[in-house]
Amino acid sequence: MNPQKKNLPIALTGDRPTGKLHLGHYVGSLAARLRLQEECKQFVMIADAQALTDHAHEPQLIRAHILEVALDYLAVGLDPGKTTLFIQSLVPALPELTQYFLNLVTWNRLKHNPTVKLEIQQKGYGEEVPAGFMVYPISQAADIVAFKADFVPVGDDQLPMIEQTVEVVRKFNRLYQKDVLVEPKAISSAQARLPGIDGKAKMSKSLQNAIFLSDEPDVVRQKVQRMYTDPNHLRVEDPGKVEGNPVFTYLDAFGKDKEKIAELKAHYGRGGLGDVAIKKYLMEELLEFLEPIRKARQEFAKDPGGVMQILRKGTEVAIEAAACTLREVREAMGTNYF
Ligand code: ATP
Ligand code: MG
């Protein structure tokens, strides 16, 4: 860890290694992480243990995606000299902290976490929800608290997790009368949600409406061609709807020339600008945005051993940082017997 970063605030985030990262992840969290690595001591966790809470039947999928996600991180510009990249399941203090924190929340509170409720519904679990999945917000609280994170950049679906973490921190500090744990603050991304190419509210790999950071140019072109626009914009001369039109949402997020985008929006709105033309412009802009990422990814992919070595080094740093917090936690509880 860079000693100059000693007194900087700490940021923690992560992703589940269940798939490659897409443009939604970029606007939702990667862009913020690139900023934060300049201003904070940043930890970025590959959350394999959390992924197992609903993927226990396919650990090989998780194993394979550890490298893929690490490649995405390095390709977008997360710098291991500035950001500690690590693997969650290799940090033993995390499950131990989770165990203690589980005693500070009620089952009733867990059942009412809105994000978990929605996910249980989406996954069709009903009463058959894995117990590990049910309590994953507390494991997430342990991740955040273990690194004494001041900031957690998140999409809006993760806000209930930060709220839950703050509750755990307050309860712990009050109960054991020590200000050991740090209350995290969520940093909400400016554009909380990127829609899918099908116009659905959220780009998501399981909805198969995502453009991945690693997609080849041809795949990007095909996906943009298939994009949902304004269904009532049937003829070029008709006025089209800009609001809720994902082509313009993507241009807002990834286009460089804001003036040109404003002009295109006005033109589309009054009629005379076709979907083919705006998609062609979006294609160019997206390909330009993705090209350096794809190139960098290809370079890193030539040396998977080197990438795993980066993760190993980061994980060693994470093990030490979390162990330090765990020692303080045990001290506060008076369970430091020897
Ligand atoms: P899955 O289909 O398995 O749910 P996903 O593609 O939706 O995968 P997640 O792993 O659920 O991706 O997303 C991790 C985090 O990335 C989310 O909590 C959210 O903060 C952010 N994120 C994901 N998709 C988007 C999106 N479309 N826009 C903004 N942020 C996103
Ligand atoms: Mg999701």
Side-chain angles (χ1 to χ4, degrees):
M1 183 68 52
N2 182 348
Q4 287 170 336
K5 283 195 162 191
K6 228 175 167 177
N7 294 319
L8 290 180
I10 297 170
L12 174 113
T13 51
D15 294 287
R16 295 151 38 104
T18 54
K20 294 179 174 186
L21 301 183
H22 51 64
L23 292 175
H25 294 121
Y26 192 91
V27 300
S29 53
L30 293 172
R33 292 176 196 171
L34 290 176
R35 256 194 336 274
L36 283 172
Q37 75 177 351
E38 307 302 333
E39 301 159 10
C40 290
K41 223 162 97 172
Q42 179 168 244
F43 291 87
V44 175
M45 177 179 82
I46 303 187
D48 60 333
Q50 192 190 111
L52 282 166
T53 63
D54 61 339
H55 286 77
H57 55 292
E58 44 187 359
Q60 69 289 352
L61 173 113
I62 289 160
R63 184 186 173 115
H65 282 95
I66 284 184
L67 179 64
E68 296 295 338
V69 168
L71 286 171
D72 285 331
Y73 286 160
L74 295 169
V76 296
L78 287 182
D79 175 351
K82 297 175 178 170
T83 292
T84 302
L85 301 171
F86 72 99
I87 301 177
Q88 182 187 30
S89 68
L90 296 176
V91 181
L94 299 178
E96 187 173 338
L97 287 170
T98 304
Q99 191 179 6
Y100 301 144
F101 294 163
L102 277 170
N103 302 326
L104 307 182
V105 293
T106 65
W107 187 242
N108 199 37
R109 174 72 177 88
L110 283 176
K111 279 199 306 202
H112 291 100
N113 181 308
T115 303
V116 176
K117 256 164 83 171
L118 183 71
E119 286 171 336
I120 289 174
Q121 213 178 51
Q122 285 167 344
K123 293 171 196 285
Y125 280 144
E127 289 294 308
E128 297 305 308
V129 55
F133 187 81
M134 209 47 217
V135 304
Y136 92 74
I138 304 306
S139 137
Q140 211 161 311
D143 302 331
I144 295 167
V145 162
F147 298 97
K148 302 206 165 168
D150 301 288
F151 299 114
V152 187
V154 289
D156 53 358
D157 56 333
Q158 292 298 301
L159 291 174
M161 308 305 173
I162 310 305
E163 238 172 77
Q164 176 76 81
T165 306
V166 167
E167 283 173 32
V168 166
V169 167
R170 287 187 184 159
K171 181 100 190 252
F172 184 96
N173 288 345
R174 197 174 60 236
L175 198 58
Y176 303 113
Q177 294 176 12
K178 278 221 167 104
D179 264 349
V180 173
L181 305 183
V182 175
E183 275 185 35
K185 278 198 190 61
I187 303 182
S188 207
S189 50
Q191 186 179 8
R193 262 180 194 203
L194 192 73
I197 57 168
D198 56 359
K200 290 213 177 104
K202 197 183 158 190
M203 178 177 287
S204 170
K205 62 182 171 289
S206 53
L207 297 174
Q208 297 185 340
N209 61 4
I211 295 177
F212 293 95
L213 297 173
S214 48
D215 276 345
E216 293 292 328
D218 268 351
V219 176
V220 175
R221 285 191 195 96
Q222 281 162 22
K223 286 181 178 175
V224 173
Q225 256 158 20
R226 282 200 275 123
M227 259 175 94
Y228 171 97
T229 56
D230 169 6
N232 298 317
H233 185 233
L234 300 175
R235 295 172 309 171
V236 172
E237 56 272 27
D238 291 339
K241 236 177 108 194
V242 168
E243 184 117 339
N245 186 329
V247 174
F248 288 107
T249 313
Y250 288 21
L251 280 174
D252 281 337
F254 301 103
K256 294 176 309 299
D257 190 343
K258 302 298 170 203
E259 239 169 74
K260 174 155 184 185
I261 294 166
E263 268 169 38
L264 288 175
K265 282 181 180 172
H267 193 175
Y268 193 80
R270 66 175 182 267
L273 183 59
D275 284 352
V276 174
I278 54 164
K279 284 183 172 177
K280 184 156 179 292
Y281 182 57
L282 174 62
M283 249 177 233
E284 285 161 12
E285 292 293 286
L286 273 187
L287 288 176
E288 193 178 324
F289 171 78
L290 288 170
E291 183 62 7
I293 297 176
R294 207 173 52 86
K295 282 226 170 94
R297 202 179 192 280
Q298 269 172 355
E299 278 309 303
F300 284 113
K302 286 181 187 160
D303 181 17
V307 175
M308 293 312 282
Q309 186 63 14
I310 289 170
L311 293 183
R312 202 167 74 89
K313 284 217 177 107
T315 302
E316 277 164 17
V317 173
I319 288 172
E320 188 43 49
C324 181
T325 304
L326 177 60
R327 275 195 294 277
E328 289 174 7
V329 158
R330 295 196 62 137
E331 211 174 278
M333 296 194 301
T335 56
N336 54 335
Y337 307 116
F338 306 112

